Amino acid sequence: MKRMKLVILTMALSLMMSVEAFAAPSAGGTVQVSQEPQQVSVVKSDGTVSTETVIPTVSGTSQTISINEIHDAIGTPNECSVYLMDVSLALAETGEKVKLNGSVTLSFSVPNVISSTKVVVVHWKDDGTKEVLPATAGDGRISVTFTSLSPIAIIVENVSSAGGNANNGGGGSSSGSSSSGSSSAAPASTPTGTSPKTGETSMIYAVEGLAVLAAIGVVVSKKKLRA
């Protein structure tokens, strides 16, 4: 009976390991948004619409994105890094959060990004739908134009898996501060969320191996019980 329990637990572990992984934040680095003040049309909390000086900010989010969604958005099966965050605008004078009315282009410092890096941004709209936004990349920084602000996922194709030059990683860290003319506040940042290495099959082999061992254990246990 004890052996049977062990076999059942082994099979359960195999199933758990085979469940599709989701990209989530981890402590691998930071993405920073330029906090240079901008004048944009916004909707205040009282419902009034006006052009105000705002500062972009980012914070953590509980939003997740699946491996399939990552690859569909960027259009490549290669390994990608994913950075999840919630983006918002705050009035420069009071810090009051406001909604965007129109469009705004924001700049983010992102590790290991050069002009040839493939980058897209998945944006979760207020109505729950998602859109994929193009991003302009170059020298550790990307620029994206938004028409509304809420949780986003910055998806970056990893250079090594794309077959590019692996020694371009200095761009992200060297451009971590806000651009010139930014506010005195430190740039907001969020932990890096790195997607699982979807190009590797070692996990699949491990699951298959455990399943085979579990099947052998069941057969051996049955023979001993009959004996």
Side-chain angles (χ1 to χ4, degrees):
M1 183 60 69
K2 290 183 178 180
R3 291 178 180 176
M4 287 296 294
K5 288 182 179 179
L6 179 60
V7 170
I8 292 172
L9 287 173
T10 302
M11 295 180 69
L13 178 60
S14 300
L15 291 173
M16 290 173 64
M17 291 177 67
S18 64
V19 174
E20 182 180 25
F22 287 81
S26 63
T30 59
V31 166
Q32 297 174 324
V33 61
S34 170
Q35 287 193 309
E36 181 177 358
Q38 298 188 53
Q39 282 199 326
V40 297
S41 178
V42 299
V43 180
K44 295 183 178 181
S45 56
D46 60 4
T48 59
V49 178
S50 60
T51 300
E52 302 286 345
T53 302
V54 298
I55 296 176
T57 62
V58 298
S59 58
T61 178
S62 59
Q63 194 65 257
T64 60
I65 185 169
S66 70
I67 295 173
N68 289 338
E69 289 175 316
I70 292 169
H71 290 165
D72 288 344
I74 200 167
T76 174
N78 293 332
E79 180 186 341
C80 298
S81 294
V82 181
Y83 305 88
L84 292 160
M85 67 200 74
D86 196 351
V87 185
S88 59
L89 297 177
L91 296 181
E93 291 186 359
T94 64
E96 174 191 344
K97 292 291 182 69
V98 291
K99 290 186 177 181
L100 179 64
N101 181 50
S103 64
V104 63
T105 299
L106 301 182
S107 178
F108 301 82
S109 67
V110 181
N112 305 327
V113 167
I114 57 176
S115 59
S116 60
T117 304
K118 193 169 186 178
V119 183
V120 296
V121 174
V122 175
H123 172 232
W124 282 266
K125 297 181 179 180
D126 291 338
D127 60 7
T129 61
K130 294 190 291 290
E131 63 178 346
V132 178
L133 303 175
T136 302
D139 194 22
R141 188 168 292 276
I142 69 166
S143 295
V144 188
T145 299
F146 298 92
T147 55
S148 64
L149 293 173
S150 49
I152 65 169
I154 298 175
I155 303 174
V156 182
E157 183 181 37
N158 287 354
V159 175
S160 57
S161 65
N165 179 10
N167 296 321
N168 62 60
S173 59
S174 64
S175 59
S177 61
S178 300
S179 59
S180 59
S182 64
S183 69
S184 58
S189 62
T190 188
T192 299
T194 305
S195 66
K197 295 182 179 180
T198 54
E200 296 183 356
T201 56
S202 57
M203 180 64 73
I204 297 174
Y205 295 147
V207 171
E208 290 178 350
L210 286 173
V212 171
L213 290 174
I216 294 173
V218 170
V219 173
V220 173
S221 297
K222 285 184 177 180
K223 287 184 178 180
K224 287 188 176 182
L225 287 174
R226 289 175 182 173

